[in-house]
Amino acid sequence: MDETNNPLRFETNPYHNVILKDRKVLELTGVKQIDSFDANEFLLETAQGWMVVQGKELVLGKLDTERGDVIIKGLIESISYISSKKSGGKDSVLSKIFK
């Protein structure tokens, strides 16, 4: 993987936990990198694989690159794991999965 395209890549422990509070605060551990994000979608690599978080008005609340901790705030509508991430801009999640 080309490291120059991923400025938000960091080392993490091998453990991955997900805590969702009232569908408004998502706490993640074991995050290796944040590939892309906007107000509707986050694409992250975790110690357990690629994760897609979708919702509305999503913002990055906390980023601890030393520990691999991330907090995402907003209305969380879905959390899913995908088998592999395909590169390519602002494509939809489905197009990333089925390329």
Side-chain angles (χ1 to χ4, degrees):
M1 183 175 288
D2 183 10
E3 295 294 321
T4 59
N5 292 336
N6 291 313
L8 293 177
R9 181 167 182 79
F10 36 92
E11 295 303 317
T12 183
N13 62 45
Y15 303 105
H16 171 58
N17 294 300
V18 177
I19 300 169
L20 180 60
K21 298 179 179 178
D22 296 324
R23 290 186 62 190
K24 295 179 182 174
V25 179
L26 180 64
E27 298 178 7
L28 303 168
T29 63
V31 176
K32 293 183 175 184
Q33 80 177 43
I34 299 174
D35 187 71
S36 64
F37 67 94
D38 59 26
N40 299 311
E41 179 181 282
F42 276 68
L43 177 60
L44 312 106
E45 182 182 10
T46 73
Q48 298 295 311
W50 287 94
M51 170 186 270
V52 177
V53 178
Q54 294 179 313
K56 294 181 180 160
E57 299 178 16
L58 301 178
V59 295
L60 186 60
K62 174 187 172 186
L63 173 63
D64 184 339
T65 58
E66 289 183 23
R67 298 181 62 198
D69 295 342
V70 171
I71 294 178
I72 299 171
K73 296 181 179 181
L75 177 61
I76 309 298
E77 294 180 333
S78 79
I79 303 167
S80 60
Y81 292 90
I82 56 177
S83 59
S84 66
K85 184 223 82 155
K86 303 289 185 183
S87 62
K90 286 286 188 184
D91 297 336
S92 72
V93 173
L94 290 177
S95 66
K96 289 178 184 175
I97 293 171
F98 294 111
K99 277 189 179 174

